[in-house]
Coordinates of all heavy atoms in Angstrom, one line a residue:
M16 N 21.5 -121.4 -21.0 CA 20.3 -120.7 -20.6 C 20.7 -119.2 -20.5 O 21.7 -118.8 -20.0 CB 19.9 -121.2 -19.2 CG 18.6 -120.5 -18.8 SD 17.5 -121.6 -17.9 CE 18.6 -122.2 -16.6
A17 N 19.8 -118.4 -21.1 CA 20.0 -116.9 -21.1 C 19.2 -116.3 -20.0 O 18.0 -116.6 -19.8 CB 19.7 -116.4 -22.4
M18 N 19.8 -115.3 -19.3 CA 19.0 -114.6 -18.3 C 19.2 -113.1 -18.5 O 20.3 -112.6 -18.8 CB 19.5 -115.0 -16.9 CG 18.7 -114.4 -15.8 SD 19.3 -114.9 -14.1 CE 20.7 -113.7 -14.0
C19 N 18.1 -112.4 -18.4 CA 18.1 -111.0 -18.5 C 18.8 -110.4 -17.2 O 18.4 -110.7 -16.1 CB 16.7 -110.4 -18.6 SG 16.7 -108.6 -18.6
Q20 N 19.8 -109.5 -17.5 CA 20.5 -108.9 -16.4 C 19.8 -107.9 -15.6 O 20.1 -107.5 -14.5 CB 21.9 -108.4 -16.9 CG 22.8 -109.3 -17.5 CD 23.3 -110.4 -16.6 OE1 23.8 -110.0 -15.5 NE2 23.2 -111.7 -16.9
M21 N 18.7 -107.4 -16.2 CA 17.9 -106.3 -15.6 C 16.8 -106.9 -14.7 O 16.7 -106.5 -13.5 CB 17.3 -105.4 -16.7 CG 18.3 -104.6 -17.4 SD 19.3 -103.5 -16.3 CE 18.1 -102.3 -15.9
C22 N 16.0 -107.7 -15.3 CA 14.8 -108.2 -14.5 C 15.1 -109.6 -13.9 O 14.3 -110.2 -13.2 CB 13.6 -108.3 -15.4 SG 13.7 -109.3 -16.8
R23 N 16.3 -110.2 -14.2 CA 16.7 -111.4 -13.6 C 15.8 -112.6 -14.0 O 15.6 -113.5 -13.2 CB 16.8 -111.3 -12.1 CG 17.8 -110.3 -11.6 CD 19.2 -110.9 -11.7 NE 20.2 -109.8 -11.5 CZ 21.5 -110.0 -11.7 NH1 21.9 -111.2 -12.0 NH2 22.3 -109.1 -11.6
R24 N 15.2 -112.4 -15.1 CA 14.2 -113.5 -15.6 C 15.0 -114.4 -16.6 O 15.8 -114.0 -17.4 CB 13.1 -112.7 -16.3 CG 11.9 -113.6 -16.7 CD 10.8 -112.6 -17.1 NE 11.2 -111.8 -18.3 CZ 11.1 -112.2 -19.5 NH1 10.8 -113.4 -19.9 NH2 11.5 -111.3 -20.5
N25 N 14.7 -115.7 -16.5 CA 15.2 -116.6 -17.5 C 14.4 -116.5 -18.7 O 13.2 -116.6 -18.7 CB 15.1 -118.0 -16.9 CG 16.1 -118.3 -15.9 OD1 17.3 -117.9 -16.0 ND2 15.7 -119.1 -14.9
L26 N 15.1 -116.2 -19.8 CA 14.4 -116.0 -21.1 C 13.9 -117.3 -21.7 O 14.6 -118.4 -21.5 CB 15.4 -115.3 -22.1 CG 16.0 -114.0 -21.6 CD1 16.9 -113.4 -22.7 CD2 14.9 -113.1 -21.2
L27 N 12.8 -117.3 -22.3 CA 12.1 -118.5 -22.8 C 12.7 -118.8 -24.2 O 13.2 -118.0 -24.9 CB 10.6 -118.2 -22.9 CG 9.9 -117.8 -21.7 CD1 8.5 -117.4 -22.0 CD2 10.0 -118.8 -20.6
A28 N 12.6 -120.1 -24.5 CA 13.0 -120.5 -25.9 C 12.3 -119.7 -26.9 O 11.1 -119.5 -26.9 CB 12.8 -122.0 -26.0
G29 N 13.1 -119.2 -27.9 CA 12.5 -118.4 -29.0 C 12.4 -116.9 -28.7 O 12.1 -116.2 -29.6
E30 N 12.6 -116.5 -27.4 CA 12.5 -115.1 -27.1 C 13.7 -114.3 -27.6 O 14.8 -114.8 -27.7 CB 12.4 -115.0 -25.5 CG 12.0 -113.6 -25.1 CD 11.7 -113.6 -23.6 OE1 11.7 -114.6 -23.0 OE2 11.4 -112.5 -23.1
R31 N 13.4 -113.1 -28.0 CA 14.5 -112.3 -28.5 C 15.2 -111.5 -27.4 O 14.6 -111.1 -26.5 CB 13.9 -111.3 -29.6 CG 13.4 -112.0 -30.8 CD 13.0 -110.9 -31.8 NE 12.1 -109.9 -31.2 CZ 11.9 -108.7 -31.7 NH1 12.5 -108.4 -32.8 NH2 11.1 -107.9 -31.2
Y32 N 16.5 -111.3 -27.7 CA 17.2 -110.5 -26.7 C 18.4 -109.9 -27.5 O 18.7 -110.2 -28.6 CB 17.7 -111.3 -25.6 CG 18.7 -112.4 -26.0 CD1 20.1 -112.1 -25.8 CD2 18.4 -113.6 -26.5 CE1 21.1 -113.0 -26.2 CE2 19.3 -114.5 -26.9 CZ 20.6 -114.3 -26.7 OH 21.6 -115.2 -27.1
R33 N 19.1 -108.9 -26.8 CA 20.3 -108.4 -27.4 C 21.3 -108.3 -26.3 O 21.1 -108.3 -25.1 CB 20.1 -107.0 -28.0 CG 19.4 -107.0 -29.3 CD 19.6 -105.7 -30.1 NE 18.8 -104.6 -29.5 CZ 18.7 -103.4 -30.0 NH1 19.4 -103.1 -31.1 NH2 18.0 -102.5 -29.5
R34 N 22.6 -108.2 -26.8 CA 23.7 -108.1 -25.9 C 24.0 -106.6 -25.8 O 24.0 -105.8 -26.8 CB 25.0 -108.8 -26.4 CG 24.7 -110.3 -26.6 CD 24.8 -111.0 -25.3 NE 26.1 -110.9 -24.7 CZ 26.4 -111.3 -23.4 NH1 25.4 -111.8 -22.7 NH2 27.6 -111.2 -22.9
W35 N 24.2 -106.1 -24.5 CA 24.5 -104.7 -24.3 C 25.8 -104.5 -23.5 O 26.3 -105.5 -22.9 CB 23.4 -104.1 -23.5 CG 22.1 -104.1 -24.2 CD1 21.3 -105.1 -24.5 CD2 21.4 -102.9 -24.8 NE1 20.2 -104.7 -25.2 CE2 20.3 -103.4 -25.4 CE3 21.8 -101.6 -24.8 CZ2 19.4 -102.5 -26.1 CZ3 20.9 -100.7 -25.5 CH2 19.7 -101.2 -26.1
R36 N 26.3 -103.3 -23.6 CA 27.6 -103.0 -22.9 C 27.4 -101.8 -22.0 O 26.8 -100.8 -22.4 CB 28.7 -102.8 -23.9 CG 30.0 -102.3 -23.3 CD 31.2 -102.7 -24.1 NE 31.5 -104.1 -24.0 CZ 32.7 -104.5 -23.8 NH1 33.7 -103.7 -23.6 NH2 32.9 -105.8 -23.7
Y37 N 27.9 -102.0 -20.8 CA 27.8 -100.8 -19.9 C 29.0 -100.9 -18.9 O 29.2 -102.0 -18.3 CB 26.5 -100.8 -19.2 CG 26.4 -99.6 -18.2 CD1 26.3 -98.3 -18.7 CD2 26.4 -99.8 -16.8 CE1 26.2 -97.2 -17.9 CE2 26.3 -98.7 -16.0 CZ 26.2 -97.4 -16.5 OH 26.1 -96.4 -15.7
A38 N 29.7 -99.9 -18.8 CA 30.8 -99.8 -17.8 C 31.8 -101.0 -18.0 O 32.3 -101.6 -17.1 CB 30.3 -99.8 -16.4
G39 N 32.0 -101.3 -19.3 CA 33.0 -102.3 -19.6 C 32.5 -103.8 -19.4 O 33.3 -104.7 -19.6
R40 N 31.2 -103.9 -19.1 CA 30.7 -105.2 -18.9 C 29.6 -105.5 -20.0 O 28.9 -104.7 -20.4 CB 30.1 -105.4 -17.5 CG 31.1 -105.4 -16.4 CD 30.5 -105.4 -15.1 NE 29.6 -106.6 -15.0 CZ 28.7 -106.7 -13.9 NH1 28.7 -105.9 -13.0 NH2 28.0 -107.8 -13.9
D41 N 29.6 -106.8 -20.4 CA 28.6 -107.2 -21.3 C 27.4 -107.8 -20.6 O 27.6 -108.5 -19.6 CB 29.1 -108.3 -22.3 CG 30.1 -107.7 -23.3 OD1 30.4 -106.5 -23.2 OD2 30.7 -108.5 -24.1
A42 N 26.2 -107.6 -21.1 CA 25.0 -108.1 -20.4 C 24.0 -108.5 -21.4 O 23.8 -107.9 -22.4 CB 24.5 -107.0 -19.4
T43 N 23.2 -109.5 -21.0 CA 22.1 -109.9 -21.8 C 20.8 -109.2 -21.3 O 20.6 -109.2 -20.1 CB 21.9 -111.4 -21.7 OG1 23.0 -112.1 -22.2 CG2 20.6 -111.9 -22.5
V44 N 20.1 -108.6 -22.2 CA 18.9 -107.8 -21.8 C 17.7 -108.2 -22.7 O 17.8 -108.2 -23.9 CB 19.1 -106.3 -21.8 CG1 17.9 -105.5 -21.5 CG2 20.3 -105.9 -20.9
C45 N 16.6 -108.5 -22.1 CA 15.4 -108.8 -22.8 C 14.8 -107.6 -23.4 O 15.1 -106.5 -23.0 CB 14.4 -109.6 -21.9 SG 13.6 -108.5 -20.7
V46 N 13.9 -107.8 -24.4 CA 13.3 -106.6 -25.1 C 12.5 -105.8 -24.2 O 12.3 -104.6 -24.4 CB 12.5 -107.1 -26.4 CG1 13.4 -107.7 -27.4 CG2 11.4 -108.1 -26.0
V47 N 11.9 -106.4 -23.2 CA 11.0 -105.6 -22.3 C 11.8 -104.6 -21.5 O 11.4 -103.5 -21.2 CB 10.3 -106.6 -21.3 CG1 9.5 -105.9 -20.3 CG2 9.5 -107.7 -22.1
C48 N 13.1 -104.9 -21.2 CA 13.9 -104.0 -20.4 C 14.7 -103.1 -21.2 O 15.4 -102.2 -20.7 CB 14.9 -104.9 -19.5 SG 14.0 -105.9 -18.3
E49 N 14.6 -103.1 -22.6 CA 15.5 -102.3 -23.4 C 15.3 -100.8 -23.1 O 16.2 -100.0 -23.0 CB 15.3 -102.6 -24.9 CG 15.9 -103.9 -25.3 CD 16.2 -103.9 -26.8 OE1 15.8 -103.1 -27.5 OE2 16.9 -104.9 -27.2
P50 N 14.0 -100.3 -23.0 CA 13.8 -98.9 -22.7 C 14.6 -98.4 -21.5 O 15.1 -97.3 -21.4 CB 12.3 -98.7 -22.6 CG 11.7 -99.8 -23.4 CD 12.7 -101.0 -23.2
E51 N 14.6 -99.3 -20.5 CA 15.3 -99.0 -19.2 C 16.8 -98.9 -19.4 O 17.4 -97.9 -18.9 CB 14.9 -100.1 -18.2 CG 15.2 -99.7 -16.8 CD 14.7 -100.8 -15.9 OE1 13.8 -101.5 -16.2 OE2 15.3 -100.9 -14.8
V52 N 17.4 -99.8 -20.1 CA 18.8 -99.7 -20.3 C 19.3 -98.6 -21.2 O 20.3 -98.0 -21.1 CB 19.4 -101.1 -20.7 CG1 19.2 -102.2 -19.7 CG2 18.9 -101.5 -22.1
I53 N 18.4 -98.3 -22.2 CA 18.7 -97.2 -23.1 C 18.7 -95.9 -22.2 O 19.6 -95.0 -22.4 CB 17.6 -97.1 -24.2 CG1 17.8 -98.2 -25.2 CG2 17.7 -95.7 -24.9 CD1 16.7 -98.4 -26.2
R54 N 17.7 -95.7 -21.4 CA 17.7 -94.5 -20.5 C 18.9 -94.5 -19.6 O 19.5 -93.4 -19.3 CB 16.5 -94.6 -19.6 CG 15.3 -93.8 -20.2 CD 14.3 -93.4 -19.1 NE 13.9 -94.7 -18.3 CZ 12.8 -95.4 -18.7 NH1 12.2 -95.1 -19.8 NH2 12.5 -96.5 -18.0
A55 N 19.4 -95.7 -19.2 CA 20.6 -95.7 -18.3 C 21.9 -95.5 -19.1 O 23.0 -95.5 -18.4 CB 20.6 -97.1 -17.6
G56 N 21.8 -95.4 -20.4 CA 23.0 -95.1 -21.2 C 23.8 -96.3 -21.7 O 24.9 -96.2 -22.1
W57 N 23.2 -97.5 -21.6 CA 23.8 -98.7 -22.1 C 23.9 -98.7 -23.6 O 23.1 -98.1 -24.3 CB 23.1 -100.0 -21.7 CG 23.1 -100.2 -20.2 CD1 23.2 -99.3 -19.2 CD2 23.1 -101.5 -19.6 NE1 23.1 -100.0 -18.0 CE2 23.1 -101.3 -18.2 CE3 23.0 -102.8 -20.1 CZ2 23.1 -102.3 -17.3 CZ3 23.0 -103.9 -19.1 CH2 23.0 -103.6 -17.8
V58 N 24.9 -99.4 -24.2 CA 25.1 -99.4 -25.6 C 24.9 -100.8 -26.2 O 25.5 -101.7 -25.7 CB 26.6 -98.9 -25.9 CG1 26.8 -99.0 -27.4 CG2 26.8 -97.5 -25.4
P59 N 24.1 -100.9 -27.2 CA 23.9 -102.3 -27.8 C 25.1 -102.7 -28.5 O 25.7 -102.0 -29.2 CB 22.7 -102.1 -28.7 CG 22.7 -100.6 -29.0 CD 23.2 -99.9 -27.8
L60 N 25.4 -104.0 -28.4 CA 26.6 -104.6 -29.0 C 26.3 -104.9 -30.5 O 27.2 -105.0 -31.3 CB 27.1 -105.8 -28.3 CG 27.8 -105.5 -27.0 CD1 28.2 -106.8 -26.3 CD2 29.0 -104.6 -27.1
A61 N 25.0 -105.2 -30.8 CA 24.6 -105.5 -32.1 C 23.3 -104.9 -32.4 O 22.5 -104.7 -31.5 CB 24.6 -107.0 -32.3
E62 N 23.0 -104.7 -33.7 CA 21.7 -104.1 -34.1 C 20.6 -105.2 -34.1 O 19.5 -105.0 -33.9 CB 21.8 -103.4 -35.4 CG 22.5 -102.1 -35.3 CD 22.0 -101.1 -36.3 OE1 21.1 -101.5 -37.1 OE2 22.5 -100.0 -36.3
R63 N 21.1 -106.4 -34.6 CA 20.1 -107.4 -34.7 C 19.9 -108.2 -33.4 O 20.8 -108.3 -32.6 CB 20.4 -108.4 -35.9 CG 21.7 -109.2 -35.6 CD 22.0 -110.0 -36.9 NE 23.1 -111.0 -36.6 CZ 22.8 -112.2 -36.1 NH1 21.6 -112.6 -35.9 NH2 23.8 -113.0 -35.9
Y64 N 18.7 -108.8 -33.3 CA 18.4 -109.5 -32.1 C 18.9 -111.0 -32.3 O 18.9 -111.5 -33.4 CB 16.9 -109.5 -31.9 CG 16.4 -108.2 -31.5 CD1 16.0 -107.2 -32.4 CD2 16.3 -107.9 -30.1 CE1 15.5 -106.0 -32.0 CE2 15.8 -106.7 -29.7 CZ 15.4 -105.7 -30.7 OH 15.0 -104.5 -30.3
E65 N 19.1 -111.6 -31.1 CA 19.4 -113.0 -31.1 C 18.2 -113.7 -30.5 O 17.3 -113.0 -29.9 CB 20.6 -113.3 -30.3 CG 21.9 -112.7 -30.8 CD 23.1 -113.1 -30.0 OE1 23.3 -114.3 -29.9 OE2 23.8 -112.2 -29.5
R66 N 18.1 -115.0 -30.8 CA 16.9 -115.7 -30.2 C 17.5 -116.8 -29.3 O 18.5 -117.4 -29.5 CB 16.2 -116.4 -31.3 CG 14.8 -115.7 -31.6 CD 14.2 -116.4 -32.8 NE 13.4 -115.4 -33.5 CZ 12.2 -115.0 -33.1 NH1 11.6 -115.4 -32.1 NH2 11.5 -114.1 -33.9
V67 N 16.7 -117.0 -28.2 CA 17.1 -118.1 -27.3 C 16.8 -119.4 -27.9 O 15.7 -119.6 -28.5 CB 16.3 -118.0 -26.0 CG1 16.6 -119.1 -25.0 CG2 16.5 -116.6 -25.3
R68 N 17.8 -120.3 -28.0 CA 17.6 -121.6 -28.5 C 16.9 -122.5 -27.6 O 17.0 -122.4 -26.4 CB 18.9 -122.2 -28.9 CG 19.6 -121.5 -30.1 CD 21.0 -122.0 -30.4 NE 21.6 -121.3 -31.5 CZ 22.2 -120.2 -31.3 NH1 22.3 -119.6 -30.2 NH2 22.8 -119.6 -32.4
A69 N 16.1 -123.4 -28.1 CA 15.3 -124.3 -27.3 C 16.1 -125.1 -26.3 O 15.7 -125.3 -25.2 CB 14.5 -125.2 -28.2
N70 N 17.3 -125.6 -26.7 CA 18.0 -126.4 -25.8 C 19.1 -125.6 -25.1 O 19.8 -126.1 -24.3 CB 18.7 -127.6 -26.6 CG 19.6 -127.1 -27.7 OD1 19.8 -125.9 -27.8 ND2 20.1 -128.0 -28.5
G71 N 19.2 -124.3 -25.4 CA 20.1 -123.5 -24.6 C 21.5 -123.6 -25.1 O 22.4 -122.9 -24.6
L72 N 21.8 -124.5 -26.0 CA 23.2 -124.7 -26.5 C 23.3 -124.2 -27.9 O 22.4 -124.4 -28.7 CB 23.5 -126.2 -26.4 CG 23.5 -126.8 -25.1 CD1 23.7 -128.3 -25.2 CD2 24.7 -126.2 -24.2
S73 N 24.4 -123.6 -28.2 CA 24.6 -123.1 -29.6 C 25.4 -124.2 -30.4 O 26.2 -124.9 -29.9 CB 25.5 -121.8 -29.6 OG 26.7 -122.0 -29.0
G74 N 25.0 -124.3 -31.6 CA 25.7 -125.2 -32.5 C 25.4 -126.7 -32.4 O 26.1 -127.5 -33.0
S75 N 24.4 -127.0 -31.6 CA 24.1 -128.5 -31.5 C 22.9 -128.8 -32.2 O 21.9 -128.1 -32.1 CB 24.0 -128.9 -30.0 OG 22.7 -128.5 -29.5
V76 N 23.0 -129.8 -33.0 CA 21.8 -130.2 -33.9 C 21.5 -131.7 -33.5 O 22.4 -132.5 -33.5 CB 22.2 -130.1 -35.4 CG1 21.0 -130.6 -36.2 CG2 22.5 -128.6 -35.7
R77 N 20.3 -131.9 -33.2 CA 19.9 -133.2 -32.9 C 18.9 -133.7 -34.0 O 17.9 -133.0 -34.2 CB 19.2 -133.3 -31.5 CG 19.0 -134.7 -31.1 CD 18.7 -134.8 -29.6 NE 17.6 -134.0 -29.2 CZ 17.3 -133.7 -28.0 NH1 18.0 -134.1 -27.0 NH2 16.2 -132.9 -27.7
R78 N 19.2 -134.9 -34.5 CA 18.3 -135.4 -35.5 C 17.4 -136.5 -34.9 O 17.8 -137.3 -34.1 CB 19.1 -136.0 -36.7 CG 19.9 -135.0 -37.4 CD 20.5 -135.6 -38.6 NE 19.5 -136.1 -39.6 CZ 19.7 -136.0 -40.9 NH1 20.8 -135.6 -41.4 NH2 18.7 -136.5 -41.7
V79 N 16.2 -136.5 -35.3 CA 15.2 -137.5 -34.9 C 15.1 -138.5 -36.0 O 14.7 -138.2 -37.1 CB 13.8 -136.9 -34.6 CG1 12.9 -138.0 -34.1 CG2 14.0 -135.9 -33.5
A80 N 15.5 -139.7 -35.7 CA 15.6 -140.8 -36.8 C 14.1 -141.3 -37.1 O 13.3 -141.3 -36.3 CB 16.4 -141.9 -36.3
Ligands
LIG102 ZN1 14.4 -108.1 -18.7

């Protein structure tokens, strides 16, 4: 489960977010809070956005028979 470090909101499945770095710490920030962290001088770790997976786990694939 991904949580935005700024608004403390649990991100929904399919929602976009990016990883940011500030004062040596990595943080997950939702798109809504990006203007705020940019003003605060945070640096994005990647240009592209990631998406919250429906099951919250990476690399797991479930097949429905
Ligand atoms: Zn947020």
Side-chain angles (χ1 to χ4, degrees):
M16 184 145 50
M18 187 179 79
C19 173
Q20 301 292 310
M21 290 301 288
C22 59
R23 298 284 168 185
R24 188 168 58 83
N25 285 323
L26 304 183
L27 306 173
E30 193 169 353
R31 294 186 309 158
Y32 66 95
R33 281 199 290 182
R34 301 283 297 167
W35 294 73
R36 172 156 285 231
Y37 182 67
R40 292 176 54 189
D41 291 359
T43 298
V44 176
C45 72
V46 290
V47 179
C48 294
E49 286 203 351
E51 198 175 330
V52 297
I53 289 168
R54 265 200 305 273
W57 292 32
V58 179
L60 289 179
E62 287 209 359
R63 68 184 188 88
Y64 289 88
E65 299 185 57
R66 253 176 213 282
V67 179
R68 290 175 182 82
N70 59 7
L72 297 171
S73 60
S75 80
V76 177
R77 189 165 58 192
R78 294 186 65 144
V79 179

